[in-house]
């Protein structure tokens, strides 16, 4: 089979620059958001879907959508698209299988009705298992980080909002798929924050990171990230901010950050450019393995990746303002021998035919959250020791008491036999020897406590 991506389809509709691309769970839908609002295609037919009414008003921040992300609830078979606007609105669109259209589910207006552009959106899990709730995080231009819970019934509740220091502009936020904590990657400064997912309190600060981080993709286990630094794409280790790989990019034409994503079980990196194409890098060799062309050239900044059991997908889109844009979808087949294990896509969700499968985290067990196996091993060992202690605590005293009772019974039986022999001798011989009488007296007196009597002449 071919080792390169091939053109699958060209999706049209957007009348202006696209700023965000997002695949839904199972790649059922693909959303493109930007200056002309939102367009969504059903990828099984490549047809656009009916949407809530939204004006085409590129100059009105209310109708310019800057960020998008999907979540899917297995319990209710519910696809929800979460959108962020340049004005600061958070919109939730819900897919109706009966009506075959999207409807407005929820709208969160900007805080204090002050314009506050949504810079980034992310979710804890794109596919939410039955009985669990989803979590959504957003960052804004006014340095605000907010987290909400989202239930399968559509209830959307804020957990917290926190405002960062004046020197931090949270260009990208990513929610750790394991701990649910929030990582904040600022546009400038190089200091990366980790926030508690319940309170928003800062748990750690790491610096110095890249001086500029335009777009950031966090890997599945949250130990590496790739970012656009203004010149190149670079892969870092999150723990100590060590540079692991450097991917040479095309010279930028505009300042707008190029988007970046992991793909193919995190063996490739896909990045946008200002030169009419997207670049596919091999992580191991740091080389460009393929250029994905965009018809008409110009800016191609948004990218998105996804993996299905039988193929890998990459979507790119035009991002030149005041020009119609298309979304180009590329496909790469996966050999049948490699289709047994579907790898996670850039967002970290496992894509299999059965959506009941959960994300697999190495050396962890999923129990509503991911618990390291070493913790379970130690807990099992300690539990076994505690169990053995209680067994011994309650059984040993009874065993000792029973053993002592047996000893006393044997001793009493022996004494009783000796007494019977001596009494027999006295009855047979009316004048027993002085030695025998003396032994009987001494024996009886020494054991008087056990026998309960003494010899009285």
């Amino acid at each position: 089979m071919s080792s390169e991506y091939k053109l699958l389809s060209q999706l049209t509709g957007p009348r202006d620059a696209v700023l965000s691309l997002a695949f839904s769970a199972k790649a059922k839908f693909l959303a493109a958001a930007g200056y002309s609002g939102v367009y969504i295609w059903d990828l099984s037919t490549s047809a656009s879907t009916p949407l809530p009414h939204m004006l085409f008003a590129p100059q009105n921040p209310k109708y310019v959508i800057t960020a998008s992300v999907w979540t899917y609830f297995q319990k209710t078979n519910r696809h929800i698209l979460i959108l962020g606007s340049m004005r600061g609105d958070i919109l939730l669109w819900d897919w109706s299988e009966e009506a075959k259209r999207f409807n407005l589910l929820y709208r969160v207006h900007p805080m204090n009705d002050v314009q506050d552009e949504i810079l980034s959106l992310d979710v804890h899990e794109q596919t939410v298992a039955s009985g669990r709730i989803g979590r959504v995080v957003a960052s804004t231009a006014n340095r605000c980080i907010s987290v909400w819970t989202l239930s399968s019934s559509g209830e959307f509740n804020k957990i917290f909002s926190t405002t960062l220091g004046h020197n931090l502009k949270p260009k990208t936020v990513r929610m750790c798929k394991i701990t649910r904590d929030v990582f904040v990657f600022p546009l400038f400064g190089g200091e990366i924050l980790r926030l508690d997912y319940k309170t928003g309190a800062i748990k750690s600060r790491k610096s110095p990171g890249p001086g500029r981080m335009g777009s950031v993709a966090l890997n599945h286990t949250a130990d590496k990230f790739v970012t656009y630094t203004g010149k190149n794409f670079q892969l870092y280790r999150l723990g100590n901010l060590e540079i692991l790989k450097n991917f040479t990019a095309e010279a930028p034409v505009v300042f707008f950050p190029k988007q970046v994503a992991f793909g193919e079980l995190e063996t490739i990196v896909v990045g946008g450019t200002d030169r009419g194409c997207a670049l596919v890098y091999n992580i191991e060799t740091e080389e460009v393995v393929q250029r994905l062309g965009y018809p008409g050239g110009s800016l191609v900044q948004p990218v998105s990746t996804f993996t299905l059991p039988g193929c890998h997908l990459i979507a790119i889109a035009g991002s030149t303002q005041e020009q119609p844009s298309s979304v180009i979808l590329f496909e790469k087949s996966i050999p049948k021998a490699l289709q047994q294990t579907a790898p996670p896509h850039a967002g970290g969700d496992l894509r299999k035919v059965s959506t009941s499968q959960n994300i697999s985290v190495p050396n962890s067990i999923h129990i509503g959250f991911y618990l390291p196996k070493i913790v379970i091993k130690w807990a099992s060992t300690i539990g076994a020791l505690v169990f053995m202690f209680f067994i011994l605590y309650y059984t040993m005293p009874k065993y000792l008491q029973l053993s002592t009772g047996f000893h006393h019974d044997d001793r009493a039986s022996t004494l009783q036999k000796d007494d019977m022999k001596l009494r027999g001798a006295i009855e047979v011989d009316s004048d027993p020897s002085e030695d025998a009488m003396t032994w009987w007296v001494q024996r009886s007196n020494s054991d008087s406590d056990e026998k309960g009597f003494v010899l009285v002449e």
Side-chain angles (χ1 to χ4, degrees), residues 161-386:
S161 285
T162 185
T163 302
L164 305 177
H166 291 281
N167 58 334
L168 287 174
K169 183 177 182 180
K171 180 63 180 68
T172 307
V173 285
R174 294 289 177 257
M175 189 167 281
C176 178
K177 310 306 177 187
I178 302 174
T179 66
R180 292 175 282 187
D181 286 341
V182 177
F183 290 99
V184 181
F185 300 89
L187 181 59
F188 298 108
E191 184 179 49
I192 300 171
L193 305 182
R194 180 173 184 168
L195 309 183
D196 184 89
Y197 74 97
K198 292 182 179 179
T199 64
I202 297 176
K203 297 178 70 172
S204 67
R205 299 174 182 263
K206 295 184 180 297
S207 63
R212 176 183 294 177
M213 290 181 281
S215 172
V216 176
L218 187 65
N219 76 332
H220 179 64
T221 52
D223 61 346
K224 300 182 184 71
F225 69 93
V226 62
T227 184
Y228 179 69
T229 62
K231 294 182 179 180
N232 299 317
F233 299 102
Q234 292 182 329
L235 180 67
Y236 285 80
R237 191 184 308 279
L238 185 58
N240 57 11
L241 299 182
E242 173 191 2
I243 300 178
L244 301 177
K245 301 289 182 179
N246 183 69
F247 309 103
T248 303
E250 303 281 350
V253 175
V254 296
F255 170 73
F256 297 118
K258 322 308 176 243
Q259 294 183 16
V260 62
F262 286 105
E264 298 184 26
L265 193 56
E266 297 170 5
T267 59
I268 66 168
V269 165
V270 182
T273 74
D274 297 336
R275 305 287 178 171
C277 68
L279 302 176
V280 181
Y281 299 90
N282 181 291
I283 290 182
E284 187 65 28
T285 65
E286 305 179 33
E287 297 178 351
V288 175
V289 294
Q290 192 172 354
R291 295 173 180 268
L292 305 176
Y294 178 80
S298 195
L299 306 182
V300 184
Q301 295 171 346
V303 299
S304 186
T305 64
F306 202 92
T307 294
L308 290 168
C311 66
H312 303 294
L313 300 174
I314 296 178
I316 66 174
S319 52
T320 302
Q321 283 187 260
E322 300 181 355
Q323 289 187 16
S325 298
S326 297
V327 175
I328 312 301
L329 191 59
F330 297 89
E331 179 187 48
K332 177 181 176 180
S333 298
I334 300 176
K336 290 185 177 180
L338 301 177
Q339 291 182 17
Q340 298 300 320
T341 303
H345 87 311
D349 288 59
L350 194 65
R351 303 299 166 217
K352 294 187 176 181
V353 176
S354 173
T355 58
S356 62
Q357 299 290 341
N358 286 324
I359 299 171
S360 176
V361 178
N363 299 319
S364 298
I365 294 179
H366 191 272
I367 55 173
F369 57 92
Y370 293 96
L371 187 66
K373 290 182 179 179
I374 187 66
V375 174
I376 296 178
K377 180 179 178 180
W378 279 105
S380 300
T381 302
I382 294 173
L385 292 174
V386 171

Side-chain angles (χ1 to χ4, degrees), residues 18-22 31-34 65-69 259 302:
V18 173
L19 301 177
S20 175
L21 289 171
I65 305 301
T66 54
S68 61
V69 67
Q259 294 183 16

Side-chain angles (χ1 to χ4, degrees), residues 120-123 135-139 145-148 173 175 182:
S120 179
L121 289 171
D122 195 25
V123 294
R135 285 176 171 81
V136 182
V137 60
S139 65
I145 308 295
S146 300
V147 172
W148 294 266
V173 285
M175 189 167 281
V182 177

